Amino acid sequence: MRAIAVIPARLESTRLARKMLHWIAGEPLLAHVVRGVRASPLLAETIVATDSEEIFALCQKNGWAARMTSAAHRSGTERVHEVSQAVEADVYLNVQGDEPLTRPEHIASLLDVMRNPAVEVGTLKVACPEHDVMNPNAVKVVCDADGRALYFSRATIPHDRDGTGPRYFKHLGFYAYRKAALERFVALPESSLEKAERLEQLRFLENGIEIYVGETPFDTVGVDTVEDARRVEEVLRSRA
């Protein structure tokens, strides 16, 4: 199974200006992501997909494979689709550029999901830390008994009406697609749930495209704010 990883890296961001180049532990955020992905021996190639000349220049300076992609893309998935038109693979991984705690185990768990040829789209979940259960920036996911996602939400799902203490799962920003799934995604209009939650994966679910969810024990901190960046630095210092 030839698998490549694509790291969508947009320079503009709403909550943290120039997020991909934000300095964390002495390096740009993007450097941590690229290093984590390239540490996996299971990938044929790792490509940064950007619409920023500044990010492209950073990649060239560091010897990272990169492609300039359209500035019109509204989601990382659309950027991955553009790369898929030029680079052949059996599976395309989308590792979001704001996941600096990416590690090879995430890649391995995601590819395990895709070893079933019937799976069109895969992603990952982790047991949700207590501090993220009520955090709308930490997306929650609920799955059926076979590991198919039922719904993703910024809300706390499932709702614990009777205080039974359900197990919450946090969704991580890692995806894998067959090329056909990418083709279907870009052909579909932005869905109503996708607009409401600002979660692009809901376009798949709302159009009947199943997403299978693998579980990992390794949590991450997606960087959307300065506080998130501080949390990442604390984790990196604890690993040193």
Side-chain angles (χ1 to χ4, degrees), residues 30-191:
L30 182 60
H32 295 281
V33 184
V34 172
R35 183 185 303 110
V37 176
R38 291 178 68 177
S40 171
L42 304 176
L43 296 169
E45 195 172 356
T46 299
I47 301 169
V48 175
T50 186
D51 58 5
S52 162
E53 294 284 357
E54 193 172 351
I55 289 176
F56 188 78
L58 176 70
C59 293
Q60 288 187 311
K61 177 182 176 182
N62 287 280
W64 308 332
R67 286 179 174 266
M68 288 295 294
T69 51
S70 171
H73 293 320
R74 295 169 299 171
S75 69
T77 309
E78 292 179 359
R79 216 167 288 284
V80 175
H81 172 261
E82 181 177 338
V83 172
S84 77
Q85 303 306 291
V87 182
E88 283 301 320
D90 300 302
V91 173
Y92 297 87
L93 274 61
N94 175 352
V95 180
Q96 295 187 13
D98 58 6
E99 290 282 1
L101 299 182
T102 298
R103 52 197 296 163
E105 292 90 341
H106 292 126
I107 305 301
S109 295
L110 191 52
L111 288 176
D112 280 345
V113 174
M114 302 305 291
R115 298 204 186 281
N116 178 350
V119 174
E120 292 186 88
V121 184
T123 192
L124 293 179
K125 67 180 181 181
V126 66
C128 190
E130 187 174 350
H131 64 264
D132 273 336
V133 170
M134 304 298 292
N135 177 8
N137 292 324
V139 176
K140 270 65 71 175
V141 60
V142 291
C143 301
D144 71 9
D146 293 322
R148 289 175 294 219
L150 295 172
Y151 194 61
F152 299 86
S153 183
R154 297 185 184 279
T156 302
I157 55 173
H159 174 65
D160 190 13
R161 192 192 72 165
D162 297 325
T164 57
R167 191 178 182 199
Y168 295 101
F169 286 98
K170 173 182 166 184
H171 176 234
L172 301 183
F174 302 89
Y175 300 91
Y177 319 96
R178 310 278 178 203
K179 190 170 184 177
L182 288 169
E183 300 284 0
R184 291 181 66 187
F185 181 89
V186 299
L188 292 165
E190 189 177 22
S191 72

Side-chain angles (χ1 to χ4, degrees), residues 24-25 32 99-103 106 129 131-132 170 218-223 227-240:
I24 295 179
H32 295 281
E99 290 282 1
L101 299 182
T102 298
R103 52 197 296 163
H106 292 126
H131 64 264
D132 273 336
K170 173 182 166 184
F218 300 105
D219 193 10
T220 67
V221 178
V223 176
E227 180 55 37
D228 293 334
R230 291 196 191 103
R231 286 176 61 195
V232 169
E233 287 194 327
E234 289 173 6
V235 173
L236 293 175
R237 279 198 299 268
S238 70
R239 289 181 182 177

